[in-house]
Amino acid sequence: MAYNHDGMPDQQFLWDVFQRVDKDRSGHISADELQVALSNGTWSAFNPETIRLMIGMFDRENKGTVSFKDFGALWKYVTDWQNCFRSFDRDNSGNIDKTELKTALTSFGYRLSDHLIDVLLRKFDRFGRGTILFDDFIQCCIVLYTLTTAFRQHDTDLDGIITIHYEQFLSMVFSLKI
Amino acid sequence: MDDLRGFLRQAGQEFLNAAGEAAMGAAKDVVGSVINEIFIKKEADTKRVLPSIKNMRVLGEKSSSLGPYSEVQDYETILNSCLASGSLFEDPLFPASNESLQFSRRPDRHIEWLRPHEIAENPQFFVEGYSRFDVQQGELGDCWLLAATANLTQESNLFFRVIPAEQSFEENYAGIFHFRFWQYGKWVDVIIDDRLPTYNGELMYMHSTEKNEFWSALLEKAYAKLHGSYEALKGGSTCEAMEDFTGGVSEWYDLKEAPGNLFTILQKAAERNSMMGCSIEPDPNVTEAETPQGLIRGHAYSITKVCLIDIVTPNRQGKIPMIRMRNPWGNEAEWNGPWSDSSPEWRYIPEEQKAEIGLTFDRDGEFWMSFQDFLNHFDRVEICNLSPDSLTEDQQNSGKRKWEMSMYEGEWTPGVTAGGCRNFLDTFWHNPQYIITLVDPDEEDEEGQCTVIVALMQKNRRSKRNMGMECLTIGFAIYSLNDRELENRPQGLNFFRYKSSVGRSPHFINTREVCARFKLPPGHYLIVPSTFDPNEEGEFIIRVFSETQNNMEENDDHVGYGGKADTITPGFPTPKPIDPQKEGLRRLFDSIAGKDMEVDWMELKRILDHSMRDDLPKPVVFNRFSNNMAFETQAAGPGDDGAGACGLLSLICGPFLKGTPFEEQLGMNDQSNKRLIGDNPADGGPVTANAIVDETHGFSKDVCRSMVAMLDADKSGKLGFEEFETLLSEIAKWKAIFKVYDVENTGRVSGFQLREALNSAGYHLNNRVLNVLGHRYGSRDGKIAFDDFIMCAVKIKTYIDIFKERDTEKNETATFTLEEWIERTIYS
């Protein structure tokens, strides 16, 4: 695998990967094609919500698919998450437990209570085993980032408290697409 | 059971009666016949140059996606960084290379990018201040930009808003400059380096008469960056540039069809410091051909003065309407007819009048014409009416007038608010609606009417390869409202069916902006902006300029919850199940839940996917190998009781709607229910089944999780029996509402019906929230599937509960800490 100086693999390598993911040779990668291509380390399907979030981020043409032009950024995004996930999966189990999750979020700059960590775990723990898989981990981090960003847009005096009208509240939560 | 059945039948009958009465009531409001009002689409003659989405994002326009953003450049930060490191700025976003010059082909000669120090000795930002003579055209066909720039020099406050004055090539020089442009209601700071395209050591494009003056060349570069390239500036209209320089609203007139009061319009525009330009149709064979009268075809002139001037001749005395214009070429061709620089007509003007109008005879491209000759020789005039903040306090005190301006941002969302024009009557009323209220007539208006300018501008259109934007075809219509009609928010289908517009945009046209001027009597008016065809997605701003207050507001439903929230309207009864059914439901619940006496989201999904399978839209089958080897689960229960519980599931759902028109659509097959449990009577006893949860079809994981979260009071992640019972009751209600609107039983409803459907459930939302819902739950063709509709309803109910919990003073305002916000929103 050849890397260019900006950390992006060369175009030929990307094109080969793109061709393998683009099963129907449409020139675009759909959500279903991406889901088939990715693995979360178990036999269950990759989280369709995470797929939807990732397609949304890199779909500059707003078509629900990703073109080759944006595929490089998407590929880098997924591999960055893989490296991130592995760095917090200390026991190499293929999933992360509550302690590992707390370590990860703290290193990302969040200061969350144990209670909130429990809420996140309950939300993103697919099998009720007290652990989070790779694809659910991505969704968890994206959702947390999105919520924090939306909150800070309204927290104009940066005191950690917002007061909002009902309509603002609805527009906030529904536009988050989580 | 028979009593309940009778009650439900009567309730259904009452619902039908109520619906019939509502229809009859609506019919009684009809006055006159159906209006057959047709709108015509028009294609713009020339493609307008518009900002590309790339630059909008670069310049800090808010993006709605979660994606990575380009870096937003900050002038002070970069300047200080360059000064500290002793380097000159080189802009990575608008590099000194061919891609910034042209996009359609390579330049035909060697272009050198040079800093001003390399072009001239002692470069200056301004030489002896700035003036309209600093704007000379280069080889680019952007005289429209030159005309607007020359216009800009007429007003120092406007000029310095676009061109910050503190920049120079001496103190704090680092090769970086910045300019500000108005973009869709916001002022955007554009940062550039000062490498300029040259050929043979001379500037190729816009330049100043003074060889060492550079403000205009740098301004042009910033505008080119805003649009993606220098070539993007070829072929535009002065209107566009004037709006980007001032935030004003532009209108134009064909002088072959000039309105009778055009001179008054121009005069009033001049009183309000409007910027004005005019042009002659280009000669198709010669670029910027010269007419025998010394005028240039296809050239954008600036109008610098409009006035009546005193004339004294041996035969008569009075006032003559006159216009002064300027040729952006600066010092060449000028009008050589009456009132030109060398014209004998000037002998009849008193000296004090000449001084008052600032008459000069320099060969400077500036000249006077009579208004009549202006009409005869020019084809088009453009007026940029300035927004109120463009006038200084001194100007207002000295009697300058200003416009009253209102502005709203809006959006056309497919299936929600992209209703199309009046030709599509069924969806037209879903467009955003705005109300203006005119109270005072114009000063000096003899008919007691009000002047109103309405401007609709579309924004942020995507483009390919910076080839200019593919604009939507847009327009608007204006309707008068009486006091009774004013109470409807928004106006519905019948309003538009039986009402003619009192005004409309001159065309539905694919230009960035469509603008029109109206004279309206005082009163209330409704403005409906739209695309020509329905379901075209876009964002817009709509502005209303008037001489007196126009009191513009959105005509929309109030967002809130009250007594009706969380309750259903009459006609959708939700009686509690009677005891025998409750026992059956309990047995069903027990058989699914197993030992822990609770169901999690996966168990819930199995129940819903099966019992609602006929309502879900048919999945699209992909020709691919699936690796959906899903989670294994067990469902076991006593044979006889299990069979009974299966049958009771349909009974539980059925009785809620028996006696209503939807009864037959709720039928469920008992045999299928048996397969759900996996009980096989032939085996003679209960068996353990290994069922596979298919996550890619049926209800999504998230909606099942959200349903659990909605009712999971103890936050255990699972539902107890009472919670399960409440959930089924809610789902039955939402299903019934969905069926009302899914008349063809396709499993999908049009997003246009979302408002009415949610109103039926007791929720009242406005366009802004409906647009967000349309983006979130609608497909790209504006349809909403059954499971997404359920998800939408579940989410609204959950968020209402969350918000009410925090709204301690019941004034529709709530306070959240960051952690409360995350917890409440994420577990929902």
Side-chain angles (χ1 to χ4, degrees), chain B residues 13-45:
Chain B
Q13 195 64 38
E14 287 174 354
F15 168 73
L16 288 177
N17 288 340
E21 287 173 7
M24 291 301 297
K28 290 175 182 174
D29 290 338
V30 169
V31 177
S33 60
V34 175
I35 304 297
N36 288 315
E37 194 173 41
I38 301 296
F39 287 82
I40 304 296
K41 182 190 281 191
K42 182 176 178 181
E43 194 83 8
D45 293 329

mmCIF file of all heavy atoms in Angstrom, chain B residues 13-45:
data_model
loop_
_atom_site.group_PDB
_atom_site.id
_atom_site.type_symbol
_atom_site.label_atom_id
_atom_site.label_comp_id
_atom_site.label_asym_id
_atom_site.label_seq_id
_atom_site.Cartn_x
_atom_site.Cartn_y
_atom_site.Cartn_z
ATOM 1 N N GLN B 13 -68.807 6.141 12.975
ATOM 2 C CA GLN B 13 -69.843 6.861 12.244
ATOM 3 C C GLN B 13 -69.775 8.348 12.562
ATOM 4 O O GLN B 13 -69.899 9.197 11.688
ATOM 5 C CB GLN B 13 -71.217 6.296 12.636
ATOM 6 C CG GLN B 13 -72.335 6.713 11.695
ATOM 7 C CD GLN B 13 -72.121 6.163 10.297
ATOM 8 O OE1 GLN B 13 -71.668 5.036 10.137
ATOM 9 N NE2 GLN B 13 -72.444 6.953 9.291
ATOM 10 N N GLU B 14 -69.547 8.645 13.832
ATOM 11 C CA GLU B 14 -69.449 10.050 14.216
ATOM 12 C C GLU B 14 -68.268 10.714 13.528
ATOM 13 O O GLU B 14 -68.327 11.871 13.122
ATOM 14 C CB GLU B 14 -69.309 10.161 15.733
ATOM 15 C CG GLU B 14 -70.597 9.849 16.464
ATOM 16 C CD GLU B 14 -70.404 9.831 17.968
ATOM 17 O OE1 GLU B 14 -69.244 9.948 18.413
ATOM 18 O OE2 GLU B 14 -71.405 9.684 18.691
ATOM 19 N N PHE B 15 -67.186 9.940 13.403
ATOM 20 C CA PHE B 15 -66.014 10.490 12.717
ATOM 21 C C PHE B 15 -66.362 10.839 11.279
ATOM 22 O O PHE B 15 -66.040 11.914 10.782
ATOM 23 C CB PHE B 15 -64.864 9.484 12.768
ATOM 24 C CG PHE B 15 -63.740 9.837 11.850
ATOM 25 C CD1 PHE B 15 -62.891 10.893 12.151
ATOM 26 C CD2 PHE B 15 -63.519 9.138 10.679
ATOM 27 C CE1 PHE B 15 -61.854 11.231 11.307
ATOM 28 C CE2 PHE B 15 -62.488 9.467 9.830
ATOM 29 C CZ PHE B 15 -61.647 10.514 10.139
ATOM 30 N N LEU B 16 -67.046 9.918 10.607
ATOM 31 C CA LEU B 16 -67.409 10.170 9.217
ATOM 32 C C LEU B 16 -68.341 11.362 9.115
ATOM 33 O O LEU B 16 -68.224 12.196 8.236
ATOM 34 C CB LEU B 16 -68.067 8.929 8.612
ATOM 35 C CG LEU B 16 -67.122 7.763 8.350
ATOM 36 C CD1 LEU B 16 -67.889 6.558 7.829
ATOM 37 C CD2 LEU B 16 -66.041 8.174 7.366
ATOM 38 N N ASN B 17 -69.280 11.452 10.052
ATOM 39 C CA ASN B 17 -70.193 12.587 10.024
ATOM 40 C C ASN B 17 -69.446 13.895 10.217
ATOM 41 O O ASN B 17 -69.691 14.883 9.545
ATOM 42 C CB ASN B 17 -71.256 12.434 11.114
ATOM 43 C CG ASN B 17 -72.242 11.344 10.770
ATOM 44 O OD1 ASN B 17 -72.364 10.962 9.602
ATOM 45 N ND2 ASN B 17 -72.949 10.845 11.757
ATOM 46 N N ALA B 18 -68.508 13.869 11.167
ATOM 47 C CA ALA B 18 -67.741 15.091 11.417
ATOM 48 C C ALA B 18 -66.965 15.485 10.174
ATOM 49 O O ALA B 18 -66.896 16.656 9.801
ATOM 50 C CB ALA B 18 -66.799 14.877 12.596
ATOM 51 N N ALA B 19 -66.369 14.491 9.502
ATOM 52 C CA ALA B 19 -65.602 14.794 8.288
ATOM 53 C C ALA B 19 -66.518 15.389 7.232
ATOM 54 O O ALA B 19 -66.178 16.366 6.560
ATOM 55 C CB ALA B 19 -64.938 13.524 7.773
ATOM 56 N N GLY B 20 -67.708 14.807 7.095
ATOM 57 C CA GLY B 20 -68.640 15.316 6.104
ATOM 58 C C GLY B 20 -69.041 16.747 6.413
ATOM 59 O O GLY B 20 -69.100 17.599 5.533
ATOM 60 N N GLU B 21 -69.291 17.008 7.701
ATOM 61 C CA GLU B 21 -69.683 18.363 8.087
ATOM 62 C C GLU B 21 -68.560 19.345 7.806
ATOM 63 O O GLU B 21 -68.791 20.471 7.369
ATOM 64 C CB GLU B 21 -70.056 18.398 9.568
ATOM 65 C CG GLU B 21 -71.391 17.734 9.847
ATOM 66 C CD GLU B 21 -71.667 17.624 11.333
ATOM 67 O OE1 GLU B 21 -70.873 18.194 12.113
ATOM 68 O OE2 GLU B 21 -72.653 16.968 11.702
ATOM 69 N N ALA B 22 -67.324 18.901 8.054
ATOM 70 C CA ALA B 22 -66.191 19.791 7.777
ATOM 71 C C ALA B 22 -66.131 20.115 6.295
ATOM 72 O O ALA B 22 -65.912 21.265 5.900
ATOM 73 C CB ALA B 22 -64.895 19.131 8.235
ATOM 74 N N ALA B 23 -66.357 19.110 5.458
ATOM 75 C CA ALA B 23 -66.323 19.343 4.012
ATOM 76 C C ALA B 23 -67.431 20.297 3.609
ATOM 77 O O ALA B 23 -67.226 21.226 2.819
ATOM 78 C CB ALA B 23 -66.453 18.012 3.274
ATOM 79 N N MET B 24 -68.623 20.084 4.170
ATOM 80 C CA MET B 24 -69.728 20.979 3.839
ATOM 81 C C MET B 24 -69.432 22.381 4.331
ATOM 82 O O MET B 24 -69.718 23.373 3.663
ATOM 83 C CB MET B 24 -71.028 20.465 4.471
ATOM 84 C CG MET B 24 -71.529 19.188 3.850
ATOM 85 S SD MET B 24 -71.842 19.359 2.091
ATOM 86 C CE MET B 24 -73.138 20.592 2.087
ATOM 87 N N GLY B 25 -68.843 22.478 5.510
ATOM 88 C CA GLY B 25 -68.501 23.789 6.042
ATOM 89 C C GLY B 25 -67.531 24.512 5.132
ATOM 90 O O GLY B 25 -67.669 25.708 4.872
ATOM 91 N N ALA B 26 -66.551 23.774 4.621
ATOM 92 C CA ALA B 26 -65.590 24.392 3.710
ATOM 93 C C ALA B 26 -66.285 24.859 2.444
ATOM 94 O O ALA B 26 -65.996 25.931 1.912
ATOM 95 C CB ALA B 26 -64.484 23.390 3.382
ATOM 96 N N ALA B 27 -67.215 24.048 1.958
ATOM 97 C CA ALA B 27 -67.909 24.420 0.726
ATOM 98 C C ALA B 27 -68.692 25.709 0.916
ATOM 99 O O ALA B 27 -68.784 26.534 0.012
ATOM 100 C CB ALA B 27 -68.828 23.283 0.296
ATOM 101 N N LYS B 28 -69.270 25.879 2.113
ATOM 102 C CA LYS B 28 -70.059 27.094 2.345
ATOM 103 C C LYS B 28 -69.211 28.349 2.263
ATOM 104 O O LYS B 28 -69.729 29.439 2.002
ATOM 105 C CB LYS B 28 -70.728 27.012 3.719
ATOM 106 C CG LYS B 28 -71.824 25.973 3.792
ATOM 107 C CD LYS B 28 -72.376 25.853 5.212
ATOM 108 C CE LYS B 28 -73.447 24.765 5.286
ATOM 109 N NZ LYS B 28 -73.894 24.531 6.680
ATOM 110 N N ASP B 29 -67.903 28.209 2.506
ATOM 111 C CA ASP B 29 -67.037 29.383 2.439
ATOM 112 C C ASP B 29 -66.738 29.791 1.004
ATOM 113 O O ASP B 29 -66.158 30.837 0.764
ATOM 114 C CB ASP B 29 -65.716 29.089 3.158
ATOM 115 C CG ASP B 29 -65.924 28.981 4.652
ATOM 116 O OD1 ASP B 29 -66.937 29.531 5.130
ATOM 117 O OD2 ASP B 29 -65.098 28.354 5.325
ATOM 118 N N VAL B 30 -67.105 28.947 0.061
ATOM 119 C CA VAL B 30 -66.753 29.238 -1.326
ATOM 120 C C VAL B 30 -67.553 30.432 -1.829
ATOM 121 O O VAL B 30 -68.759 30.509 -1.652
ATOM 122 C CB VAL B 30 -67.028 28.012 -2.206
ATOM 123 C CG1 VAL B 30 -66.915 28.373 -3.667
ATOM 124 C CG2 VAL B 30 -66.059 26.902 -1.843
ATOM 125 N N VAL B 31 -66.868 31.373 -2.451
ATOM 126 C CA VAL B 31 -67.533 32.493 -3.087
ATOM 127 C C VAL B 31 -67.054 32.532 -4.531
ATOM 128 O O VAL B 31 -65.860 32.654 -4.791
ATOM 129 C CB VAL B 31 -67.188 33.821 -2.386
ATOM 130 C CG1 VAL B 31 -67.834 34.974 -3.132
ATOM 131 C CG2 VAL B 31 -67.642 33.780 -0.942
ATOM 132 N N GLY B 32 -67.961 32.416 -5.476
ATOM 133 C CA GLY B 32 -67.573 32.465 -6.871
ATOM 134 C C GLY B 32 -67.119 31.104 -7.367
ATOM 135 O O GLY B 32 -67.319 30.089 -6.720
ATOM 136 N N SER B 33 -66.494 31.112 -8.522
ATOM 137 C CA SER B 33 -66.120 29.860 -9.170
ATOM 138 C C SER B 33 -64.633 29.587 -8.992
ATOM 139 O O SER B 33 -63.872 30.424 -8.523
ATOM 140 C CB SER B 33 -66.449 29.941 -10.663
ATOM 141 O OG SER B 33 -65.725 31.001 -11.256
ATOM 142 N N VAL B 34 -64.238 28.388 -9.394
ATOM 143 C CA VAL B 34 -62.831 27.999 -9.302
ATOM 144 C C VAL B 34 -62.010 28.878 -10.234
ATOM 145 O O VAL B 34 -62.397 29.117 -11.379
ATOM 146 C CB VAL B 34 -62.666 26.515 -9.676
ATOM 147 C CG1 VAL B 34 -61.202 26.136 -9.697
ATOM 148 C CG2 VAL B 34 -63.426 25.644 -8.696
ATOM 149 N N ILE B 35 -60.873 29.359 -9.745
ATOM 150 C CA ILE B 35 -60.008 30.235 -10.533
ATOM 151 C C ILE B 35 -59.046 29.387 -11.352
ATOM 152 O O ILE B 35 -58.361 28.520 -10.826
ATOM 153 C CB ILE B 35 -59.204 31.170 -9.621
ATOM 154 C CG1 ILE B 35 -60.143 31.962 -8.719
ATOM 155 C CG2 ILE B 35 -58.336 32.097 -10.447
ATOM 156 C CD1 ILE B 35 -61.080 32.869 -9.454
ATOM 157 N N ASN B 36 -59.023 29.620 -12.658
ATOM 158 C CA ASN B 36 -58.066 28.926 -13.519
ATOM 159 C C ASN B 36 -56.926 29.882 -13.846
ATOM 160 O O ASN B 36 -56.927 30.544 -14.873
ATOM 161 C CB ASN B 36 -58.753 28.454 -14.800
ATOM 162 C CG ASN B 36 -59.695 27.301 -14.535
ATOM 163 O OD1 ASN B 36 -59.340 26.368 -13.826
ATOM 164 N ND2 ASN B 36 -60.891 27.368 -15.095
ATOM 165 N N GLU B 37 -55.981 29.939 -12.946
ATOM 166 C CA GLU B 37 -54.861 30.860 -13.083
ATOM 167 C C GLU B 37 -53.620 30.049 -13.430
ATOM 168 O O GLU B 37 -53.214 29.185 -12.675
ATOM 169 C CB GLU B 37 -54.673 31.599 -11.758
ATOM 170 C CG GLU B 37 -53.789 32.806 -11.831
ATOM 171 C CD GLU B 37 -53.807 33.568 -10.520
ATOM 172 O OE1 GLU B 37 -53.792 32.934 -9.451
ATOM 173 O OE2 GLU B 37 -53.838 34.809 -10.572
ATOM 174 N N ILE B 38 -53.032 30.317 -14.579
ATOM 175 C CA ILE B 38 -51.917 29.507 -15.068
ATOM 176 C C ILE B 38 -50.642 30.344 -15.076
ATOM 177 O O ILE B 38 -50.650 31.501 -15.480
ATOM 178 C CB ILE B 38 -52.203 28.989 -16.494
ATOM 179 C CG1 ILE B 38 -53.478 28.146 -16.493
ATOM 180 C CG2 ILE B 38 -51.024 28.173 -17.014
ATOM 181 C CD1 ILE B 38 -53.372 26.889 -15.658
ATOM 182 N N PHE B 39 -49.562 29.752 -14.626
ATOM 183 C CA PHE B 39 -48.255 30.414 -14.666
ATOM 184 C C PHE B 39 -47.421 29.805 -15.780
ATOM 185 O O PHE B 39 -47.518 28.614 -16.065
ATOM 186 C CB PHE B 39 -47.528 30.251 -13.329
ATOM 187 C CG PHE B 39 -48.109 31.100 -12.244
ATOM 188 C CD1 PHE B 39 -49.227 30.685 -11.544
ATOM 189 C CD2 PHE B 39 -47.550 32.319 -11.923
ATOM 190 C CE1 PHE B 39 -49.774 31.462 -10.545
ATOM 191 C CE2 PHE B 39 -48.086 33.107 -10.916
ATOM 192 C CZ PHE B 39 -49.201 32.678 -10.231
ATOM 193 N N ILE B 40 -46.593 30.631 -16.404
ATOM 194 C CA ILE B 40 -45.771 30.210 -17.527
ATOM 195 C C ILE B 40 -44.312 30.243 -17.108
ATOM 196 O O ILE B 40 -43.862 31.172 -16.449
ATOM 197 C CB ILE B 40 -45.978 31.142 -18.743
ATOM 198 C CG1 ILE B 40 -47.462 31.190 -19.119
ATOM 199 C CG2 ILE B 40 -45.141 30.669 -19.917
ATOM 200 C CD1 ILE B 40 -48.024 29.877 -19.572
ATOM 201 N N LYS B 41 -43.589 29.224 -17.527
ATOM 202 C CA LYS B 41 -42.163 29.158 -17.208
ATOM 203 C C LYS B 41 -41.366 29.885 -18.281
ATOM 204 O O LYS B 41 -41.721 29.864 -19.457
ATOM 205 C CB LYS B 41 -41.737 27.689 -17.156
ATOM 206 C CG LYS B 41 -40.285 27.471 -16.782
ATOM 207 C CD LYS B 41 -39.855 26.035 -16.974
ATOM 208 C CE LYS B 41 -40.316 25.140 -15.851
ATOM 209 N NZ LYS B 41 -39.682 23.805 -15.921
ATOM 210 N N LYS B 42 -40.287 30.526 -17.872
ATOM 211 C CA LYS B 42 -39.432 31.218 -18.838
ATOM 212 C C LYS B 42 -37.985 30.866 -18.571
ATOM 213 O O LYS B 42 -37.553 30.722 -17.433
ATOM 214 C CB LYS B 42 -39.624 32.733 -18.741
ATOM 215 C CG LYS B 42 -38.788 33.498 -19.768
ATOM 216 C CD LYS B 42 -39.062 34.987 -19.713
ATOM 217 C CE LYS B 42 -38.182 35.725 -20.720
ATOM 218 N NZ LYS B 42 -38.393 37.183 -20.694
ATOM 219 N N GLU B 43 -37.216 30.742 -19.641
ATOM 220 C CA GLU B 43 -35.801 30.411 -19.529
ATOM 221 C C GLU B 43 -34.982 31.692 -19.603
ATOM 222 O O GLU B 43 -35.258 32.571 -20.416
ATOM 223 C CB GLU B 43 -35.406 29.482 -20.678
ATOM 224 C CG GLU B 43 -34.074 28.792 -20.498
ATOM 225 C CD GLU B 43 -34.181 27.548 -19.638
ATOM 226 O OE1 GLU B 43 -35.316 27.154 -19.316
ATOM 227 O OE2 GLU B 43 -33.136 26.992 -19.290
ATOM 228 N N ALA B 44 -33.978 31.810 -18.761
ATOM 229 C CA ALA B 44 -33.119 32.989 -18.815
ATOM 230 C C ALA B 44 -32.294 32.957 -20.095
ATOM 231 O O ALA B 44 -31.827 31.902 -20.521
ATOM 232 C CB ALA B 44 -32.200 33.032 -17.608
ATOM 233 N N ASP B 45 -32.090 34.134 -20.688
ATOM 234 C CA ASP B 45 -31.363 34.191 -21.956
ATOM 235 C C ASP B 45 -29.897 33.846 -21.772
ATOM 236 O O ASP B 45 -29.312 33.121 -22.549
ATOM 237 C CB ASP B 45 -31.487 35.587 -22.560
ATOM 238 C CG ASP B 45 -32.914 35.873 -22.977
ATOM 239 O OD1 ASP B 45 -33.610 34.906 -23.350
ATOM 240 O OD2 ASP B 45 -33.329 37.041 -22.925
#
